[in-house]
Amino acid sequence: MDKQNKANMTITEEFAEKVRRDNFKERVMQIAPVMVLLLLIVVFSFACGHNFASRDNLVAILNQLAIPLIVAFGLTFVIMIGSIDLSIDGTVGMAGSLMAVFVLNSQFPGMNMGIWGAGLAILTSVVVGFIVGVVHVKLRIPSFMVTFAFMYICRGIGMLSYQGHPPTINDPLFVALAKASFLGIPFITWVAILMLALCYFIQEYTAFGRYVYAVGTNESIPRAVGVSVDRVKIQVFTLAGFLFGVAGVIGAIRLGQGQVGIGEGLMFPAQAAVVVGGTSLAGGKGGVVNTIVGVLIMTVLTNGLVLLSVNPYVRTGIQGLIILIAVILTIPRGGQVISK
């Protein structure tokens, strides 16, 4: 639109034009991640040949994305309220460590809580998420500071639980689940699908899900109509704690051992996947469906580069470039993005 036409526009017309531009940008942002995923699939299908599209590799991709997907679901809700969670590595590692200690294992043969041991490990992670939310909200400490501290607290709890000697899981049920599959899909991937269904239901069909979007967009609005913003934030971190706990448990099952290293390196890939999928760091936009696309992009990218024998340092650089582009596209211009 040239300057002369713009000068002749009324305020109403200018507003309508701005709305049209914003809507167009919104549609592009919704489609772009899917197009990137499809492009990666096409490129690697040609570059890697049969190796990429083989059944074994597809199963490997499903296996690889399960834990990052569950972690990213928890982080999605946190980012949608405009906050951040840096406790992921520690919380996931703690849950996996406790799970291995609570069930039949090599280090503490007298401990045999079975399936309840896995539940108790997840419950511990839920409690951690709740405490993080309470400290963040009630003491008004920025979320990145609280969660950063809890990352180390959880790591310490995890290492203390097995006293420096990671236990091997001997429980027959969990040993079997590590190798189990249904319809050719690994058990841990089915757990991720179940978490997807749960998170999608919470996001789309509950009042809490609607409040999450509202708080992320502008928390003064839901506060003005009587919504307890503090309670919503605490619930978000509690939900994230639950999902991190589930990720830690299935991580221990897959590894066959409990150790804090289960959670190592999950935090930044999860954040990358959430942002690449289209969930805005400013809060109020995105969701679990976006996160699925983001996790698939990061997983397919890593898988394809490994098949092409690309140098690990180059792979890291490519991933970093994609994250940078995604952040540039999702952060609103002229606005302040502060972790709440």
Side-chain angles (χ1 to χ4, degrees), residues 18-37:
K18 182 179 184 303
V19 170
R20 283 193 291 270
R21 288 197 305 267
D22 290 344
N23 289 339
F24 175 76
K25 181 181 177 182
E26 195 72 28
R27 288 194 295 271
V28 171
M29 288 304 302
Q30 290 174 352
I31 297 172
V34 177
M35 298 305 296
V36 170
L37 176 60

Side-chain angles (χ1 to χ4, degrees), residues 236-276:
V236 164
F237 282 100
T238 303
L239 175 60
F242 166 73
L243 291 162
F244 299 160
V246 172
V249 165
I250 66 171
I253 291 173
R254 184 170 69 177
L255 185 63
Q257 187 182 68
Q259 55 173 290
V260 292
I262 291 171
E264 187 173 345
L266 288 176
M267 178 174 63
F268 288 112
Q271 293 175 5
V274 173
V275 175
V276 167

Side-chain angles (χ1 to χ4, degrees), residues 43-308:
V43 169
F44 287 131
S45 294
F46 281 103
C48 304
H50 178 69
N51 290 334
F52 179 77
S54 67
R55 180 182 180 278
D56 289 344
N57 191 54
L58 294 178
V59 171
I61 289 174
L62 289 175
N63 202 22
Q64 291 166 15
L65 66 80
I67 294 176
L69 191 61
I70 296 172
V71 168
F73 285 153
L75 186 60
T76 298
F77 285 94
V78 174
I79 290 180
M80 281 200 298
I81 62 170
S83 295
I84 199 67
D85 195 326
L86 303 182
S87 71
I88 294 171
D89 290 9
T91 308
V92 172
M94 177 195 69
S97 301
L98 292 176
M99 183 269 183
V101 169
F102 292 153
V103 303
L104 185 63
N105 64 86
S106 60
Q107 185 67 17
F108 307 100
M111 185 69 73
N112 185 12
M113 297 178 64
I115 193 71
W116 298 107
L120 184 56
I122 294 173
L123 179 61
T124 305
S125 185
V126 170
V127 172
V128 167
F130 174 77
I131 295 173
V132 166
V134 170
V135 172
H136 163 53
V137 168
K138 300 303 181 182
L139 299 184
R140 302 188 181 280
I141 302 174
S143 59
F144 73 91
M145 289 298 297
V146 178
T147 55
F148 185 70
F150 269 89
M151 176 179 67
Y152 288 100
I153 292 171
C154 291
R155 279 182 180 175
I157 294 172
M159 287 187 285
L160 283 172
S161 69
Y162 55 76
Q163 300 175 14
H165 300 282
T168 299
I169 296 174
N170 294 328
D171 188 297
L173 172 62
F174 295 115
V175 171
L177 288 178
K179 304 174 183 178
S181 64
F182 178 66
L183 300 177
I185 300 176
F187 161 75
I188 64 172
T189 305
W190 282 111
V191 175
I193 293 172
L194 178 62
M195 293 301 105
L196 162 63
L198 174 64
C199 291
Y200 185 78
F201 175 80
I202 291 173
Q203 175 187 294
E204 297 294 329
Y205 298 103
T206 68
F208 168 69
R210 293 189 291 273
Y211 294 158
V212 168
Y213 280 107
V215 171
T217 302
N218 186 346
E219 65 181 60
S220 62
I221 296 175
R223 198 187 300 275
V225 296
V227 175
S228 176
V229 172
D230 289 354
R231 185 171 65 183
V232 171
K233 290 182 178 181
I234 292 172
Q235 289 173 338
V236 164
F237 282 100
T238 303
L239 175 60
F242 166 73
L243 291 162
F244 299 160
V246 172
V249 165
I250 66 171
I253 291 173
R254 184 170 69 177
L255 185 63
Q257 187 182 68
Q259 55 173 290
V260 292
I262 291 171
E264 187 173 345
L266 288 176
M267 178 174 63
F268 288 112
Q271 293 175 5
V274 173
V275 175
V276 167
T279 297
S280 174
L281 286 172
K285 293 182 181 179
V288 295
V289 175
N290 300 73
T291 295
I292 296 171
V293 178
V295 171
L296 281 170
I297 288 173
M298 301 305 293
T299 305
V300 168
L301 176 64
T302 301
N303 180 269
L305 293 177
V306 169
L307 290 177
L308 292 174

